[in-house]
């Protein structure tokens, strides 16, 4: 149980650049690690993957904030990979 509790961390604010504009996102370390892993898997810089997610979220009827969109994108990605 102690190992599970040790894996919970608050979000960490990080800077990313989207279309030449700096912005910040606050992600828990587990989500940041998943984002880095997915960027590496796609052979993209993290900023490029975040920009891609940003474009997708803006196509939604009521887009969530960027950090929420990243979490949801990662969750759906994980679900898609588990189903494959």
């Amino acid at each position: 149980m102690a190992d599970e509790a040790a894996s919970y961390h608050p979000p960490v604010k990080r800077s990313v650049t989207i279309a030449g504009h700096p912005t910040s996102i606050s992600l828990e370390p587990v989500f940041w690690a998943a984002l880095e892993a997915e960027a590496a898997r796609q052979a993209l810089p993290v900023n490029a993957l975040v920009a891609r997610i940003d474009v997708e979220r803006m196509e939604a009827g009521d887009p969530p904030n960027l950090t929420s969109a990243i979490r949801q994108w990662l969750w759906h990605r994980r679900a898609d990979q588990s189903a494959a």
Side-chain angles (χ1 to χ4, degrees):
M1 186 83 144
D3 289 336
E4 289 178 21
S7 66
Y8 291 95
H9 297 283
V12 176
K13 186 176 267 191
R14 293 182 166 83
S15 295
V16 294
T17 302
I18 301 172
H21 300 284
T23 190
S24 63
I25 56 175
S26 294
L27 285 173
E28 296 79 4
V30 67
F31 284 107
W32 183 257
L35 184 64
E36 288 181 314
E38 186 59 28
R41 194 185 75 70
Q42 294 189 27
L44 292 171
V46 170
N47 285 340
L49 181 54
V50 170
R52 183 181 292 172
I53 295 167
D54 188 45
V55 167
E56 289 179 20
R57 87 175 170 105
M58 294 309 293
E59 293 172 353
D62 185 19
N65 68 48
L66 179 57
T67 300
S68 180
I70 291 168
R71 287 187 191 102
Q72 291 176 56
W73 188 91
L74 289 167
W75 178 261
H76 290 295
R77 189 77 178 158
R78 178 181 173 186
D80 291 346
Q81 290 174 351
S82 295

